[in-house]
Amino acid sequence: MAKPAILAVDDDAAVVAAVVRDLRQRYGEDYRVLRATSGPEALEVLADQLLKDRPVAAVVSDQRMPGMSGIEVLQAVRQQSPDSKLLLLTAYADTDVAIRAINDIALDYYLMKPWDPPEDRLYPVLDDLLRDWANDHPDRDSEVRVVGHRWSERTVEVKTFLTHNHVPYRWLEVDGGEPDGEAARLLELAGAGVDDVPVVALPDGTALRSPTTVELADALGLRTRAERPLYDLCIVGAGPAGLAAAVYAASEGLSTVVVERDAPGGQAGQSASIENYLGFPKGLSGADLTHRAVAQAARFGAEMVLARDVVGFETRGPVRAVLLDGSTDIEARAVLVASGVSYRRLGAPDLDEVVGRGLYYGASAGEAPQTAGEDVYVVGAANSAGQAALNFARYARRVVLVVRGDSLESSMSQYLVGRIMTAPNVEVRLRTEVVGARGDGHLEAISLCDRGAGAVEEVETGWVFVFIGAAPRTDWLGDVVSRDDRGFVLTGPDLPADGGWPLERGPFALETSVPGVFAAGDVRRDSMKRVASAVGEGAMSVHLVHRYLATT
């Protein structure tokens, strides 16, 4: 791939020269820096780059230009080069216009002039934007390649694992016929046939034949085993609560390990856009939030153990032990339960036969392009379902949001409800539930029941994504840690008075029925089920861990 470009646009020749100078000083080694002194000239430069198949990673444009404003320029760029990052340079008086552009043209960031010194104001913003662009446009020579077919459940699991762990990959589909080209070569390299997919080819030439998640994680260099015999804090679950706790604990000097059976981020990590998280006016994807949090935790020294399922818990005197499937136990002086929740399964028995073959529980934002031109059904009425529906609507011909209740407003944030109601290709079906499925080897149709009229209708589709309910991942705690009848962990004042609390002091706010074991985020009873509250509880739990460790 040709070296990507950054395009600077300003009608003042002296200003654009200064912007180009600063950009070349920082990014000249990896990017070509181009300039334009008007909107029309900028669009000509863009068109020339696209015609030559040269990617434009970012466009930095001044707002106040004669004839064509910066927002008008960036709007045209968004239409011609949807992946380019858009940065608007604006005066304080134009702040309202810039904020509106976040919604109107998906502006990535606006920066008030002057941007001096660039080390403090310009570079940090562009560093983040260009990193995100580079993550979405990996070097083909360093890509992982996955050979498989759409109706292979194991292939879906491998793709999901790679996506959730931010490993770029290229998808090579085989439809059951005789493969050719690169797919055939990789199958031969792995000694595999079409029925043996998925095959995962690594950049070093290694080809893995239908690998387990642990085998895949090991091959990718991800850590799957703890390094120390004893930690100050073991965190089970790497969703927002667990990652926040890891950042605060490690930064304050606690030896910290995080255990995650799948990949960091939890349900929030799958979100296409989190728009109500403080400090991100444009919003950010769950993958981006997760990537930042993992890097931050690693920077402070927290360990991450991936692809290991937690199967049990034991108290060993002053030590708390977390038991892992296929690996040695992890012992720690304190434990934080942040294992989150999983989506509840649909009740109809024949639906289980098409899980991973057209019916999926949850969805990564990157899966939406696969649905281009087709009908997609999203089941659920919470924010996760709304965000998914809007993301799929960018690609699918039609998106149907299947809602069991009487309204969206009772369970979904108003900003999402408004956008869903105005989306031209999103349809909302209230008082409706999925009661059956049909298909030969994969999903071909589902049955929808109108709960009011009792009528059942069959609709053809190969794509159903389910975002309903919340089933806490707490079976591994056994009977030692008190939970409610739905499995959510009881903490602090919610603990039963006759629960046999063993200490003279009362339990701390997020402490469970076992001293030194805390819970945070969605896994805790009556939690808010919002990213911000989970992050807050994760940070708060570290303060309580310190108090606990000081008394032992």
Side-chain angles (χ1 to χ4, degrees):
M1 183 173 67
K3 185 185 290 189
I6 303 172
L7 173 59
V9 189
D10 198 302
D11 64 301
D12 187 319
V15 173
V16 77
V19 175
V20 168
R21 179 200 64 220
D22 289 342
L23 293 178
R24 284 179 175 163
Q25 178 178 334
R26 177 79 164 197
Y27 306 108
E29 185 174 338
D30 299 313
Y31 295 86
R32 292 175 299 114
V33 180
L34 310 177
R35 74 179 72 193
T37 55
S38 70
E41 183 185 356
L43 297 182
E44 288 179 6
V45 172
L46 176 68
D48 179 66
Q49 296 300 301
L50 297 179
L51 183 63
K52 296 175 180 176
D53 198 24
R54 295 176 177 173
V56 176
V59 178
V60 182
S61 178
D62 182 49
Q63 165 62 5
R64 295 194 175 190
M65 296 187 295
M68 195 174 191
S69 70
I71 289 177
E72 291 172 332
V73 172
L74 296 180
Q75 183 176 24
V77 172
R78 178 65 77 208
Q79 294 170 351
Q80 297 178 40
S81 181
D83 294 338
S84 296
K85 298 298 180 180
L86 308 183
L87 174 61
L88 185 70
L89 301 178
T90 183
Y92 180 80
D94 297 322
T95 301
D96 289 344
V97 175
I99 292 174
R100 286 198 301 272
I102 292 174
N103 289 329
D104 295 342
I105 67 169
L107 178 70
D108 291 292
Y109 209 93
Y110 68 91
L111 193 63
M112 284 183 284
K113 299 188 297 184
W115 64 88
D116 289 327
E119 292 80 7
D120 295 336
R121 303 194 59 200
L122 178 64
Y123 296 156
V125 172
L126 263 178
D127 284 350
D128 279 351
L129 294 180
L130 293 174
R131 186 201 66 233
D132 292 344
W133 185 89
N135 287 339
D136 292 336
H137 299 79
D139 180 357
R140 283 294 176 91
D141 293 334
S142 63
E143 270 186 314
V144 172
R145 289 155 294 171
V146 178
V147 182
H149 59 81
R150 173 182 165 185
W151 309 122
S152 162
E153 184 175 1
R154 183 67 195 127
T155 298
V156 172
E157 292 173 358
V158 165
K159 291 169 63 180
T160 300
F161 182 82
L162 293 173
T163 299
H164 290 180
N165 282 283
H166 312 285
V167 178
Y169 69 89
R170 184 150 46 96
W171 167 239
L172 301 171
E173 185 168 4
V174 292
D175 58 7
E178 189 65 30
D180 55 12
E182 187 173 11
R185 183 177 63 81
L186 294 176
L187 288 175
E188 182 180 358
L189 178 65
V194 174
D195 295 334
D196 299 316
V197 295
V199 166
V200 181
L202 304 180
D204 64 3
T206 304
L208 306 176
R209 178 174 169 176
S210 192
T212 66
T213 48
V214 173
E215 291 170 343
L216 183 56
D218 284 336
L220 293 168
L222 303 176
R223 181 175 292 155
T224 60
R225 293 168 182 81
E227 293 188 347
R228 301 189 186 193
L230 179 67
Y231 294 84
D232 292 322
L233 177 62
C234 176
I235 301 168
V236 180
L243 289 173
V247 168
Y248 281 94
S251 68
E252 293 171 11
L254 297 180
S255 57
T256 304
V257 62
V258 184
V259 184
E260 171 57 53
R261 70 174 187 175
D262 178 26
Q267 286 189 358
Q270 301 177 34
S271 176
S273 180
I274 303 171
E275 298 187 56
N276 56 357
Y277 191 63
L278 183 66
F280 293 87
K282 182 182 181 291
L284 76 169
S285 69
D288 189 22
L289 177 63
T290 301
H291 184 78
R292 293 167 185 261
V294 169
Q296 196 172 16
R299 173 191 165 206
F300 290 122
E303 288 183 29
M304 190 80 64
V305 175
L306 298 174
R308 293 294 184 188
D309 201 6
V310 177
V311 296
F313 167 80
E314 292 179 358
T315 298
R316 300 173 180 172
V319 170
R320 310 293 181 249
V322 172
L323 314 184
L324 304 184
D325 181 23
S327 185
T328 55
D329 306 341
I330 295 179
E331 293 189 338
R333 298 168 63 201
V335 168
L336 174 64
V337 181
S339 43
V341 297
S342 56
Y343 291 115
R344 219 164 15 91
R345 312 283 282 195
L346 295 172
D350 52 350
L351 294 173
D352 290 339
E353 299 176 8
V354 291
V355 172
R357 297 179 174 87
L359 187 145
Y360 309 93
Y361 288 91
S364 299
E367 295 174 18
Q370 301 177 54
T371 67
E374 301 191 42
D375 289 349
V376 173
Y377 285 75
V378 175
V379 184
N383 279 8
S384 55
Q387 290 159 349
L390 291 171
N391 187 46
F392 284 119
R394 297 168 56 201
Y395 303 92
R397 181 183 66 178
R398 184 173 68 118
V399 176
V400 180
L401 189 60
V402 180
V403 179
R404 192 173 188 273
D406 296 331
S407 71
L408 284 178
E409 288 79 1
S410 60
S411 55
M412 188 180 294
S413 296
Q414 185 57 47
Y415 78 93
L416 280 174
V417 174
R419 291 175 60 193
I420 286 170
M421 292 305 182
T422 57
N425 62 334
V426 177
E427 173 188 339
V428 179
R429 295 188 60 161
L430 301 174
R431 297 175 293 278
T432 303
E433 56 187 326
V434 180
V435 295
R438 174 178 59 80
D440 183 10
H442 60 84
L443 180 66
E444 297 176 11
I446 57 173
S447 297
L448 300 176
C449 177
D450 184 323
R451 299 179 63 235
V456 176
E457 173 192 5
E458 184 179 88
V459 294
E460 293 186 358
T461 183
W463 300 99
V464 174
F465 298 90
V466 182
F467 300 82
I468 61 170
R473 297 174 175 173
T474 56
D475 290 346
W476 60 276
L477 290 169
D479 298 329
V480 180
V481 175
S482 296
R483 294 173 287 158
D484 67 11
D485 56 359
R486 294 187 298 162
F488 289 94
V489 178
L490 303 178
T491 58
D494 288 335
L495 288 171
D498 58 351
W501 176 255
L503 303 181
E504 291 185 8
R505 68 165 176 85
F508 296 131
L510 299 179
E511 198 167 19
T512 71
S513 57
V514 177
V517 177
F518 301 82
D522 291 356
V523 76
R524 197 176 64 82
R525 188 173 78 169
D526 291 336
S527 63
M528 284 183 59
K529 308 297 185 292
R530 289 290 187 268
V531 174
S533 63
V535 169
E537 288 187 8
M540 176 182 172
S541 70
V542 175
H543 169 68
L544 301 177
V545 167
H546 278 295
R547 292 180 64 185
Y548 168 75
L549 294 178
T551 64
T552 58

